[in-house]
Structures are given as structure tokens and as C-alpha cells.
Amino acid sequence: MVKIAPSVLSADFGILAEEIARVEPGADLLHVDVMDGHFVPNLTIGPLVVEAIHKRTRVPLDVHLMIQNPERYIGAFVQAGAAYLTVHAEVCPHLHRTVQQIREAGIKAGVALNPSTSLHAVEHILDQVALVLLMSVNPGFGGQTFIPFVLKKIEELARRRERLESKPEIEVDGGIKIENCRAVAQAGATILVAGSAIFGAPDPRAAMLKMREQVA
């Protein structure tokens, strides 16, 4: 079954607890984007907000670090309540070491790739991670349009995944809408991250359930 992960980046932070409560009954994960204003051109939240979210929900937190030097902050986000912690291959010169640090901290490790980054960047650690996050927009802002060539990238990763004994989740983030979610799932995605398509809808829970129907 394809999992749905609402992205709180698109939620109303003034009523964040209420926003989470609206999607909690149907969400498999809550996707939390952490941006530092250096690796990506935006600045969002840190461990304190992740901890506050963790206290408000039983849904596992899927924390996506779009930051430089992520290895410095692994402990802080583990303590804050992350269930998954994903780092970008583009900023990790010692990617295997960073993945091992996350695993040794007792949570699930993920690696993210920007749209133009080749799958070769993760081919040697696919059996070491719980998920590979393929960005389908250039990271930094919500509400962008899905980049079509990422579909072929999803398909290629799905083929590589089938050859592995330990099969990581294939998570796709960026421009996921009701209109394209089925195509993304059929390409091989196992987790769909959706922000504005869910939190921007009049009824976020209904939008999430409609998306689930599309990928069932």
C-alpha cells in the first residue's frame, strides 16, 4: 500500500496543532521539512518545533533535513522525536558515515536526491537506508510544479530496489497532486509527500482520502 505523508510545511503554523489533528486519522507519516537558508533558499524550523509536533501526534515523524552539515544535528532531531531522518547526498561528503550515525541513534535513515542528482549517488548504500527521497521539485519552497523527468528516475530506482534483499521505501516529494499521484505511484513510489494539495484544500482530510483512493 502506498503511504501518504502530509507535509506540514504547507500547514498554517498559527494553528499547527489543529492542522495536524485534521489529517492525523488518515496519515501514515507526517513529513517535516527543515531548511537552513544555505543549502536551500528558505529558512523553516528546528528541533524545538519538531519536538512540539511530536508531542501533539502519534503519527511517525518523517524529518527531512535540507541543511548543510546535517551530521551535527542528528542527536538533536533524534531527541526531538524523529522516526525517520533524511539527509541530502549533495551535502554529505561522507554519506555512508552519516547514514550509520542515524542508524546507530536508533531511528530509520533516509537519503534525499535533488531532481538533477543521479541515482549513482546512492547506489552503494541502498541496502543501508530505510528510504530514498526523490525530490520532484527543486527544494526550498512549497507549492511548486512536479518536474516530469523525475518519473523516469522513480522507475529506475524501483527497478534497482527489486534487486535488493532489503527494499527501501521510495518517497517522492514535490508537486504531488490528486491529478498526478496515481502516475507517481505507478512509477514505483511507495510514499507520497503532499503539502499544498492537502493543507491547501478546504478539507485536508478529505483531500488526503481522495488521494489515497487514487493510489489504492
Side-chain angles (χ1 to χ4, degrees), residues 6-121:
S7 174
V8 298
L9 180 65
S10 296
D12 183 342
F13 273 65
I15 52 169
L16 187 54
E18 295 175 33
E19 293 277 74
I20 291 171
R22 295 172 77 182
V23 300
E24 187 171 25
D28 298 294
L29 302 167
L30 279 178
H31 189 80
V32 185
D33 287 314
V34 177
M35 307 181 192
D36 64 358
H38 296 283
F39 176 57
V40 292
N42 198 2
L43 187 65
T44 56
I45 64 174
L48 288 177
V49 177
V50 173
E51 183 178 11
I53 294 171
H54 178 61
K55 290 178 179 178
R56 290 287 185 171
T57 182
R58 294 184 179 181
V59 178
L61 300 187
D62 171 30
V63 179
H64 176 196
L65 300 184
M66 288 179 268
I67 64 175
Q68 294 179 348
N69 306 120
E71 66 279 356
R72 297 180 182 176
Y73 306 99
I74 291 170
F77 284 102
V78 170
Q79 187 173 358
Y84 290 80
L85 194 61
T86 297
V87 298
H88 270 262
E90 296 88 355
V91 295
C92 291
H94 307 290
L95 182 58
H96 178 266
R97 179 188 298 167
T98 303
V99 165
Q100 294 307 309
Q101 285 180 273
I102 297 170
R103 294 180 63 183
E104 289 167 3
I107 65 171
K108 296 179 180 179
V111 176
L113 299 176
N114 286 340
S116 62
T117 301
S118 171
L119 293 176
H120 292 307

